[in-house]
Each structure stands twice: as C-alpha cells, then as structure tokens.
Amino acid sequence: FEFDETLDFAPYVEHPGLANTYHLHSVLVHNKHSEVDPSRDYCAYIRPDCKGNWLRFADEQVKVSTRAAAIEANFVCGEETGRRRFSTYMVVYVKQEAVADVLRPLVIDDIPDHLSQRFNIEEEIKALRRKEKSEAHLKFDVCVGLWKDFEEHRGAELLNWKNVQTLRMDRTATLDQLKKTIIESVCYPWELARLLYMGLL
C-alpha cells in the first residue's frame, strides 16, 4: 500500500463540511534483513511540526532525512520481491486542527514525575562518569585476592581476577592507607592481615 503526507477524508465521511484533513507526522519502519544486527530492526522518520524536514531516528542516532526516504522508499509491496529492504510498520497522522495543540512545545509540567526522576538520575550518572574520567590519572585500581580465592580457584591462571574485589585508590595514598583500606574492605582483622604484592605485567 501507499501513503502520502496528507489525508483528506472529506469524500468518505457523512459530513464533508467538517475538518477532515490529516497530516503525516511519523513513519515507523521495519528492516526486513537485519539478522546480522537485530537491534537495528526498526527506525522512525518524524516531522516534528508535520510540515518541515524529516528526521530519521535509529537508536541514539538522529539525522536529517528526506521525504523520499521516509515515504516512497517504505511503501509496502503485496509480495516480497527481494528489492525492498524496508517496509512501513506503522504511520501516525495528526488532524490539522489539532497540530498546534498536539505538537506544542514541551513544558516541565508535561513530564511525569517518574520520568523526571529517571532523567535526573541519568544526569547524575553522566556527571559522575565525566568526573571519574577527568580524574582517572589521579587514581589506580587495586585487585584484592584473598587466600580463599587462591584455594578455590581451578584453572591455568593463578587467579580469576574478574571474580575478586577491585578498589579505586588515590595515587597519593601511603602504603599504610592502602593496607587499611584493603583490610576494611574485606572485614579482616588488622593483626592477622599479611599483604602479598603481585604485580601484573
């Protein structure tokens, strides 16, 4: 089937004098041959204002697109010819009189509280990662393997370092501070603790 940017239902309704014009807002597209990367099964073409440029949304990527890419390239064929890779999965139209209200600019009060909280958490996580990245040269990692880890390990390697605790330490930390941090992290008595340094090349 084919579809266009505008639908006029006037010829098909009982009261043609009423507003019956709809404008295409978005096209959800299915990729028929995405076995190599199933995460790319779908993308969406959207006109934010129902009249301007088309935008293509594919996961985190957003690019300016064209009418031909959004519409003509995605017409659904009755039979699989092997020539079309993409086909329209769903289309969204907005009534002409409702465009201004439905597509009005978003304000803070429109966002549900649970989404606002989620966005805030995501921003906090991003800020923490930026901070960690900027301070990476001031830190170093210490992998702490206990004696029981060596006893329980079975394998060619001395120890499975992925299963042991990793501590993030300041490069300015003294040996005593390092020892205290390690002992406190594993809840082991200070007087019984013996540290054995094992550098990994």
Side-chain angles (χ1 to χ4, degrees):
F1 65 87
E2 298 182 357
F3 55 93
D4 206 341
E5 289 184 336
T6 302
L7 289 180
D8 184 5
F9 286 102
Y12 314 103
V13 297
E14 184 177 357
H15 303 289
L18 300 177
N20 293 290
T21 301
Y22 292 76
H23 298 289
L24 183 61
H25 174 262
S26 51
V27 181
L28 183 61
V29 176
H30 177 232
N31 182 355
K32 297 180 181 179
H33 307 291
S34 58
E35 293 84 358
V36 176
D37 185 3
S39 66
R40 301 287 181 174
D41 277 355
Y42 296 93
C43 69
Y45 293 88
I46 298 176
R47 283 193 305 171
D49 57 0
C50 281
K51 59 182 179 181
N53 293 329
W54 284 95
L55 301 177
R56 183 180 187 273
F57 292 76
D59 294 334
E60 72 281 359
Q61 298 180 354
V62 181
K63 298 181 179 179
V64 176
S65 189
T66 63
R67 181 188 188 281
I71 300 179
E72 284 87 351
N74 299 309
F75 287 156
V76 179
C77 300
E79 297 181 359
E80 178 59 59
T81 63
R83 292 178 297 175
R84 288 194 180 279
R85 180 179 178 184
F86 304 100
S87 65
T88 300
Y89 179 72
M90 182 172 64
V91 293
V92 177
Y93 284 85
V94 180
K95 197 171 185 177
Q96 180 171 297
E97 284 66 29
V99 168
D101 182 53
V102 173
L103 304 181
R104 64 182 172 80
L106 184 70
V107 295
I108 296 298
D109 292 340
D110 293 330
I111 304 176
D113 291 339
H114 70 281
L115 286 182
S116 295
Q117 294 173 3
R118 178 177 175 179
F119 295 153
N120 291 335
I121 292 174
E122 290 178 350
E123 288 301 320
E124 291 174 359
I125 293 175
K126 289 179 182 179
L128 179 60
R129 288 176 178 172
R130 287 194 297 267
K131 184 174 184 293
E132 291 177 346
K133 185 176 181 180
S134 65
E135 297 178 352
H137 64 288
L138 303 175
K139 307 281 186 177
F140 70 99
D141 291 332
V142 178
C143 296
V144 182
L146 302 180
W147 186 254
K148 69 177 183 66
D149 296 322
F150 288 92
E151 291 181 326
E152 296 172 357
H153 178 63
R154 300 291 183 271
E157 298 293 334
L158 181 63
L159 188 63
N160 186 350
W161 295 103
K162 293 181 180 180
N163 293 337
V164 302
Q165 185 176 5
T166 301
L167 303 177
R168 193 77 166 159
M169 296 292 300
D170 291 330
R171 290 190 177 275
T172 56
T174 64
L175 184 59
D176 284 341
Q177 290 173 332
L178 174 59
K179 180 178 179 181
K180 181 179 180 181
T181 301
I182 293 175
I183 291 174
E184 290 177 348
S185 69
V186 297
C187 300
Y188 201 77
W190 175 277
E191 63 276 7
L192 299 179
R194 298 293 183 270
L195 300 184
L196 176 63
Y197 169 75
M198 302 180 66
L200 300 179
L201 299 179

